[in-house]
Amino acid sequence: DGRGHMMGRLAATIVKQLLSGKSVTVLRCESILVSGPIYRNRMKWAFFMRKRMNTNPKLGHKHFRQPSKIFWKVVRGMLPYKTERGRQALKRFDSFEGVPPQYEKKRRLVVPSALNVIRSGPSRKVTLISDLAKTYGWKQHAVLDKLEEERKVRSAAYYAKKKAMNKFKAQAFKAAKSDASLKKENEILAEYGY
């Protein structure tokens, strides 16, 4: 889950995992942070946007506007992607804005060494990638906000159902432990550590 992580630190950690053979998927890329105030990052981005191939701009620099693609390019820049090892590592990496349906019920992890609240001081200014992307032509932020609100409602309902089920399981387990008719079975299970 990319929310609240510093971009460079997160990318470096991910690259290390990719090169060791693991697959990594980053969700909610729009909430990744870049150090520095928005105006400084806009100036840096404007300088990058001017880079083009003089004779045929179609063949030159690709200026991605999507936050997930911006982050993908940062990760690619840290990989030796022109070698076979780097190419294979890059194939194992995915990045998305928001949380796609196939990842909704999967456990999401954070990288403590890349979290903004841990790594930088409270007075330090940071920029959201989504704010930078909006400035330079990303147009899907309204759609993404709507989809994220819907997902959060579904997620809250799923969590409430899961909590109720866990409570029911605990009650059933407690009832089975204290049931006199299951005394023999409980003794056998206790031998095996249950």
Side-chain angles (χ1 to χ4, degrees):
D1 188 358
R3 183 173 171 270
H5 288 75
M6 301 305 289
M7 185 161 69
R9 289 179 183 275
L10 179 63
T13 308
I14 286 169
V15 165
K16 200 158 191 180
Q17 295 300 314
L18 291 172
L19 289 172
S20 69
K22 293 193 172 93
S23 295
V24 180
T25 303
V26 179
L27 308 173
R28 298 209 281 181
C29 282
E30 73 281 357
S31 301
I32 291 175
L33 302 167
V34 184
S35 59
I38 184 86
Y39 65 85
R40 178 169 173 264
N41 283 306
R42 277 182 186 156
M43 285 193 306
K44 282 163 76 175
W45 196 261
F47 182 71
F48 167 65
M49 290 295 283
R50 285 189 63 207
K51 291 185 183 295
R52 63 201 286 269
M53 187 176 181
N54 203 14
T55 53
N56 191 350
K58 271 193 302 192
L59 303 176
H61 287 74
K62 299 282 185 283
H63 306 290
F64 295 120
R65 268 66 168 202
Q66 260 179 287
S68 61
K69 282 297 208 179
I70 291 169
F71 186 65
W72 177 86
K73 198 166 182 182
V74 170
V75 169
R76 190 191 73 170
M78 293 185 183
L79 281 169
Y81 71 95
K82 291 185 181 180
T83 65
E84 188 55 34
R85 177 171 169 255
R87 228 186 329 273
Q88 293 304 319
L90 196 56
K91 280 183 186 174
R92 290 191 292 272
F93 177 68
D94 260 330
S95 57
F96 297 97
E97 286 95 24
V99 182
Q102 67 266 32
Y103 295 106
E104 266 185 34
K105 291 189 171 103
K106 290 206 174 153
R107 192 163 150 245
R108 294 189 281 280
L109 305 172
V110 296
V111 180
S113 62
L115 282 170
N116 179 48
V117 292
I118 295 171
R119 298 308 301 190
S120 69
S123 62
R124 296 290 180 188
K125 296 216 173 3
V126 289
T127 307
L128 275 170
I129 284 194
S130 58
D131 292 345
L132 208 53
K134 277 184 231 174
T135 308
Y136 286 97
W138 180 50
K139 294 181 173 62
Q140 277 69 44
H141 50 91
V143 176
L144 181 69
D145 291 343
K146 183 174 159 262
L147 289 172
E148 276 295 284
E149 287 304 316
E150 289 170 11
R151 181 192 67 79
K152 284 174 184 170
V153 169
R154 282 196 307 273
S155 181
Y158 169 77
Y159 184 63
K161 187 179 171 186
K162 186 179 172 183
K163 265 199 336 191
M165 188 59 78
N166 286 347
K167 189 178 176 185
F168 180 69
K169 276 183 189 173
Q171 286 172 349
F173 187 73
K174 196 174 177 184
K177 275 275 193 194
S178 60
D179 194 357
S181 64
L182 297 171
K183 188 178 179 194
K184 189 180 172 189
E185 285 82 0
N186 282 334
E187 285 171 4
I188 294 167
L189 286 170
E191 283 177 34
Y192 294 102
Y194 291 101

